Amino acid sequence: MTEESLIQNPSCTSSGLKRFPIKNQADWGEAIDVSAFYGRIDELAKLEQWILNDRCRLITILGMGGIGKTANAAKLAIQIQSQFEYVIWRSLRNAPSIDEILTQLLQFLGQRQNDLPKTVDEKILRLMETLRSHRCLIILDNGESILQSGDSKGNYREGYEEYGHLLRCIAEIPHQSCLLLTSSEKPKGLANKEGEHLPVRSIRLTGLQLAEGRKIFQLKGTFSGSKSEWESVIKHYAGNPLALKIVATGILEVFQGNISKFLKYRQLETLIFDDIQSILQRQFNRLTNEEQTLMYWLAINRESVVVEKLQEYFVNQKSQSELLEILVSLLERSPIEINDNCFTQQPFIIQYVTERFLKLYHQEITLEQAKILSSHKLLETTTKDPSRESQIRQILKQITDGIHIKATYQQNLAKNLNRNINKSQTMNKHLTNKQKHVLA
Ligand SMILES: Nc1ncnc2c1ncn2[C@@H]1O[C@H](COP(=O)(O)OP(=O)(O)OP(=O)(O)O)[C@@H](O)[C@H]1O
Ligand SMILES: [Mg+2]
């Protein structure tokens, strides 16, 4: 039995493997198969060092949707499982209550149903006793599911605040175990407990390297493309493994694996595959209104920009510190990047946010509203860079196309209405008085 195959069988324990201590037990819950896992050598080494050498008690793996948080946690847990008496994996995707999670943890850690404490506080205390007396590795996946959407502070969803108490106890009370949490957002209260020399730490995953990105494609089938075309497609999706898997599938289905054809098409049509759209939509919808506004700005702007320039763009003037606060929160949630003090977005995010912006723009024109119209001074984003100028021209063209479509639609609507009015007037003339009475 391979290590990876252990993970596919939730009921399987590692006690059958000779090199594990007899007491070692694992419940892999919904952990994913990582038999095809590439790269991440440095990240895995760092995490292993933190858990095994530095004895960290709480580690959060952060990163945007699809970047590989779950896969990394699974790969790591497999690598280090022999160092623990108990390994348990639970997903928080469906937002289980804290009571449910604690009950499952305690039962797995050997507590009998009849002996389980009644209250959440007592259950946390009992768990802490067990984490002190046994070396356990607990993995909680999809941590963002218990956090509030549209909140940049990592507050817990209503009814889930006691998870904060659990994390606090695991972080602050001495014990010999480790909780590995994956999340796209950092839960409130963790940042101030973290430190290079403290037992609470977090790691943020970024995209895969080119060679690893290519391997992800090759899992799907055979592709043709020059070195620069490969580079271009992997960079466009910023090495996000899930996005690469989706794009690879699309390129195979639509372009028979020809990357060159795909790149030409993408330039013309700004193609976004539905599945990528839904990952980004999920992430975008969790942002606050102000974060979303800033994301639109960065997408329109396209090139990286310093905070002072962004401040100029904002119609509802923000102080530099307010703006920085929003930018830091966006950096924390990964949809933007910083290089040499300039902020920008990854190309496929720019593509998604621009499309979303245009949809909103058209919607507002149709409904005669002016929220986004008035908040984004599109025409003032002047630039001397010809490529950016052409991009802005493209955005403007799409907007005017939308206005044209709307105007044509309204003209047609008016024509149809007139035709119907004329028809009913003609019909009316030919009706008998009795028929008119019945219709009235
Ligand atoms: N290093 C890697 N090598 C090969 N495949 C990978 C790697 N990292 C991630 N993947 C694959 O990419 C996909 C997305 O990864 P994963 O589910 O771990 O992302 P995630 O960050 O947990 O996403 P979400 O935020 O939606 O939970 C999965 O199919 C996973 O197997
Ligand atoms: Mg995940």
Side-chain angles (χ1 to χ4, degrees):
M1 188 184 293
T2 65
E3 286 178 343
E4 277 77 10
S5 67
L6 272 173
I7 220 165
Q8 291 169 309
N9 183 354
S11 63
C12 187
T13 70
S14 54
S15 53
L17 291 174
K18 275 192 197 136
R19 66 194 181 89
F20 300 138
I22 210 79
K23 269 177 79 186
N24 179 303
Q25 287 188 48
D27 176 347
W28 291 102
E30 296 166 359
I32 60 171
D33 177 17
V34 282
S35 43
F37 183 90
Y38 308 115
R40 302 289 193 201
I41 309 284
D42 293 346
E43 291 90 338
L44 288 170
K46 185 188 252 190
L47 286 162
E48 197 172 313
Q49 154 93 19
W50 286 359
I51 296 176
L52 301 185
N53 296 26
D54 305 349
R55 294 272 167 160
C56 283
R57 298 193 284 254
L58 173 54
I59 292 173
T60 316
I61 302 183
L62 297 159
M64 70 171 294
I67 201 72
K69 301 179 291 296
T70 303
N72 270 263
K75 187 77 187 169
L76 175 73
I78 289 171
Q79 266 177 216
I80 60 174
Q81 61 177 323
S82 63
Q83 304 296 317
F84 292 86
E85 289 169 70
Y86 295 94
V87 179
I88 178 165
W89 179 293
R90 283 294 174 266
S91 170
L92 303 180
R93 187 176 291 283
N94 296 325
S97 70
I98 178 95
D99 193 64
E100 200 178 324
I101 282 290
L102 286 169
T103 303
Q104 288 187 21
L105 293 179
L106 287 170
Q107 282 180 340
F108 173 71
L109 295 171
Q111 304 283 315
R112 280 202 306 262
Q113 174 80 28
N114 296 345
D115 297 336
L116 281 180
K118 294 276 173 292
T119 69
V120 166
D121 280 353
E122 286 168 340
K123 282 183 179 153
I124 291 179
L125 269 181
R126 181 73 62 84
L127 179 67
M128 295 314 301
E129 277 168 26
T130 319
L131 299 187
R132 256 196 302 267
S133 52
H134 297 278
R135 180 123 167 95
C136 313
L137 176 63
I138 300 172
I139 304 109
L140 294 182
D141 193 21
N142 305 116
E144 68 284 341
S145 312
I146 53 163
L147 302 180
Q148 265 176 39
S149 182
D151 173 82
S152 60
K153 307 269 185 282
N155 280 303
Y156 290 89
R157 273 169 66 174
E158 213 181 311
Y160 291 84
E161 297 84 356
E162 280 162 314
Y163 272 99
H165 180 45
L166 172 66
L167 297 193
R168 231 178 356 263
C169 289
I170 290 182
E172 289 177 350
I173 298 175
H175 57 82
Q176 55 165 324
S177 301
C178 178
L179 170 66
L180 190 59
L181 176 73
T182 79
S183 178
S184 58
E185 294 152 33
K186 194 181 280 185
K188 190 175 179 166
L190 284 195
N192 58 8
K193 294 182 179 51
E194 289 177 355
E196 246 177 78
H197 304 289
L198 292 171
V200 182
R201 298 186 199 164
S202 62
I203 186 168
R204 179 168 301 282
L205 297 181
T206 53
L208 294 179
Q209 306 290 321
L210 290 179
E212 293 136 15
R214 275 180 84 141
K215 284 187 191 154
I216 296 230
F217 265 67
Q218 276 143 8
L219 281 175
K220 295 278 177 182
T222 311
F223 295 84
S224 61
S226 67
K227 195 168 169 250
S228 68
E229 284 164 347
W230 273 106
E231 198 173 314
S232 170
V233 75
I234 292 167
K235 274 196 175 156
H236 184 78
Y237 294 97
N240 181 305
L242 183 56
L244 293 180
K245 277 189 170 178
I246 295 167
V247 171
T249 310
I251 298 179
L252 266 186
E253 281 172 3
V254 186
F255 304 96
Q256 295 75 48
N258 188 322
I259 295 179
S260 171
K261 275 192 193 161
F262 165 70
L263 286 173
K264 280 186 195 122
Y265 182 82
R266 183 167 56 77
Q267 275 161 12
L268 294 174
E269 303 281 336
T270 63
L271 171 73
I272 304 187
F273 293 104
D274 284 352
D275 292 347
I276 294 187
Q277 196 140 0
S278 48
I279 309 172
L280 296 176
Q281 186 175 339
R282 191 156 32 100
Q283 186 124 355
F284 198 92
N285 288 344
R286 292 190 63 88
L287 301 178
T288 65
N289 286 339
E290 287 188 323
E291 286 167 348
Q292 293 190 356
T293 305
L294 198 53
M295 286 292 282
Y296 288 133
W297 255 124
L298 287 165
I300 294 167
N301 198 62
R302 280 176 145 71
E303 64 186 10
S304 45
V305 61
V306 289
V307 69
E308 293 79 11
K309 203 80 203 149
L310 271 173
Q311 209 182 354
E312 270 176 38
Y313 294 156
F314 258 84
V315 173
N316 303 325
Q317 283 288 314
K318 295 244 167 263
S319 72
Q320 225 178 75
S321 63
E322 282 173 314
L323 209 49
L324 271 173
E325 203 176 308
I326 307 173
L327 286 166
V328 168
S329 168
L330 284 173
L331 281 171
E332 288 266 304
R333 289 151 176 249
S334 313
I336 67 167
E337 294 179 333
I338 183 168
N339 287 316
D340 295 333
N341 289 330
C342 288
F343 297 90
T344 188
Q345 291 163 330
Q346 293 161 348
F348 76 122
I349 295 184
I350 293 183
Q351 199 179 345
Y352 166 76
V353 179
T354 309
E355 282 226 343
R356 195 179 161 117
F357 175 80
L358 289 172
K359 264 191 206 140
L360 262 182
Y361 223 96
H362 288 153
Q363 223 171 47
E364 287 193 0
I365 292 168
T366 311
L367 300 172
E368 286 165 24
Q369 292 172 344
K371 224 164 124 198
I372 203 119
L373 283 166
S374 61
S375 65
H376 289 75
K377 296 184 282 182
L378 192 59
L379 292 167
E380 288 188 23
T381 56
T382 49
T383 175
K384 291 186 184 69
D385 173 358
S387 74
R388 200 177 140 246
E389 202 181 323
S390 94
Q391 281 160 338
I392 289 178
R393 223 177 305 127
Q394 213 177 335
I395 294 177
L396 288 171
K397 183 176 178 306
Q398 290 183 53
I399 290 171
T400 47
D401 283 354
I403 294 170
H404 177 69
I405 289 168
K406 196 213 162 194
T408 316
Y409 168 77
Q410 282 184 336
Q411 278 164 11
N412 288 344
L413 193 71
K415 267 188 211 157
N416 279 346
L417 276 174
N418 274 338
R419 221 177 289 139
N420 284 340
I421 290 167
N422 288 343
K423 232 192 238 170
S424 58
Q425 280 170 349
T426 322
M427 262 174 63
N428 205 23
K429 269 190 213 156
H430 294 99
L431 289 175
T432 61
N433 281 341
K434 193 174 171 194
Q435 283 169 324
K436 281 181 189 168
H437 179 73
V438 172
L439 283 172

